[in-house]
């Protein structure tokens, strides 16, 4: 597990299926942290060295967001920029931040604007990916303008995210995505990833 994650984190060595079952049993017995306590619990789990504890923290956050608990954006931002790697950042973007923004759309622009201006490519990656599961509800104007703003980035994780977001949107709106790809200069990696679904069709 450490090798797969480029030796960036310590691991207990608990496989995903087993970890999810352990977390489920633990929460069934002890309950999900309350609205008053969840932030302290999540931050403490995030500070511990083993990566499985960060995954369990995200499991808890995902459940809280699904219950429409108003999880603090400042907390989510802290998790994005701390111990950052694709495994936690993408989970936060697509399954937690994306859901939170969908529940309270007025949160999108102020946080999106701050994250885009931050220069932190993990926050910018979230700006690209938070709509990944929105399908017909995707704000294509926002998505496309985000991609245009970041299209000259040399950062692998930005180029990959651009391709992923366009590929996913092409499942919903292939003609519009194809037109956008044709009319915009994208990194070869982004273009290749973006066209994977369209090319098959």
């Amino acid at each position: 597990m450490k090798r797969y994650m480029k030796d960036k984190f310590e691991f207990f060595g608990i496989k995903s299926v087993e970890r999810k079952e352990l977390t489920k049993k633990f929460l069934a017995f002890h309950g999900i942290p309350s609205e008053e306590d969840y932030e302290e619990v999540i931050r403490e789990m995030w500070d511990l060295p083993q990566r499985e504890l960060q995954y369990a923290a995200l499991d808890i956050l995902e459940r809280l967001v699904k219950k429409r608990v108003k999880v603090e954006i400042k907390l989510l931002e802290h998790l994005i920029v701390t111990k950052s790697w694709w495994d936690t950042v993408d989970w936060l973007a697509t399954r937690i931040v994306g859901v939170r923004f969908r529940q309270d759309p007025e949160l999108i622009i102020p946080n999106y604007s701050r994250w885009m201006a931050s220069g932190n490519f993990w926050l910018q990656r979230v700006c690209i990916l938070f709509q990944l599961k929105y399908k017909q509800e995707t704000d294509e104007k926002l998505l496309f303008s985000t991609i245009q703003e970041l299209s000259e980035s040399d950062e692998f994780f930005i180029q990959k995210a651009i391709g992923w977001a366009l590929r996913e949107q092409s499942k919903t709106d292939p003609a519009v995505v194809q037109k956008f790809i044709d009319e915009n200069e994208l990194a070869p990696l982004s273009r290749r990833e973006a066209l994977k679904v369209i090319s098959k069709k």
Side-chain angles (χ1 to χ4, degrees):
M1 289 178 177
K2 281 183 69 173
R3 279 199 305 273
Y4 182 65
M5 287 296 169
K6 310 290 187 185
D7 291 321
K8 289 183 175 292
F9 309 105
E10 295 298 321
F11 282 85
F12 289 121
I14 303 169
K15 292 183 178 179
S16 179
V17 173
E18 185 182 357
R19 187 202 82 244
K20 288 176 183 176
E21 189 59 31
L22 285 169
T23 305
K24 184 178 177 182
K25 287 179 179 178
F26 182 88
L27 295 176
F29 185 81
H30 293 282
I32 300 173
S34 69
E35 290 192 44
E36 293 74 28
D37 296 335
Y38 79 85
E39 184 166 352
E40 183 181 354
V41 172
I42 297 300
R43 285 181 180 271
E44 189 168 337
M45 294 175 79
W46 215 260
D47 287 342
L48 292 166
Q50 290 82 9
R51 197 60 164 170
E52 291 94 337
L53 291 165
Q54 280 94 68
Y55 298 155
L58 294 178
D59 275 327
I60 291 170
L61 275 176
E62 200 171 339
R63 290 168 185 242
L64 288 167
V65 169
K66 284 179 180 176
K67 288 180 175 289
R68 303 190 78 85
V69 172
K70 304 291 187 181
V71 172
E72 290 290 333
I73 299 298
K74 285 288 179 68
L75 171 62
L76 300 182
E77 184 174 324
H78 170 74
L79 303 183
I80 292 165
V81 300
T82 309
K83 297 188 176 180
S84 310
W85 200 238
W86 62 265
D87 56 337
T88 54
V89 171
D90 292 358
W91 190 337
L92 282 157
T94 61
R95 293 156 63 177
I96 298 172
V97 172
V99 176
R100 186 76 180 84
F101 281 175
R102 186 180 253 166
Q103 291 169 350
D104 291 300
E106 71 276 5
L107 294 173
I108 295 174
I109 295 305
N111 290 291
Y112 166 91
S113 299
R114 191 174 74 256
W115 293 352
M116 285 293 287
S118 70
N120 182 294
F121 69 81
W122 293 113
L123 289 170
Q124 292 171 342
R125 183 172 167 100
V126 173
C127 291
I128 299 168
L129 295 178
F130 79 88
Q131 298 191 84
L132 202 70
K133 297 180 184 294
Y134 284 18
K135 297 183 179 178
Q136 289 89 352
E137 295 177 27
T138 298
D139 181 341
E140 288 184 335
K141 183 178 178 182
L142 181 63
L143 175 63
F144 292 159
S145 67
T146 305
I147 291 170
Q148 287 171 328
E149 187 172 340
L150 296 172
S151 62
E152 295 183 4
S153 172
D154 294 328
E155 173 54 53
F156 169 83
F157 287 106
I158 292 296
Q159 292 183 6
K160 189 81 170 179
I162 287 171
W164 186 14
L166 288 172
R167 183 174 74 244
E168 198 62 28
Q169 191 59 19
S170 76
K171 298 173 185 177
T172 299
D173 207 346
V176 170
V177 171
Q178 180 70 71
K179 185 173 185 291
F180 177 81
I181 294 169
D182 291 341
E183 293 177 354
N184 287 272
E185 193 73 34
L186 299 175
L189 172 61
S190 300
R191 183 176 296 273
R192 189 165 59 250
E193 290 291 323
L195 290 170
K196 280 183 176 177
V197 171
I198 293 173
S199 297
K200 287 180 182 177
K201 290 181 179 179

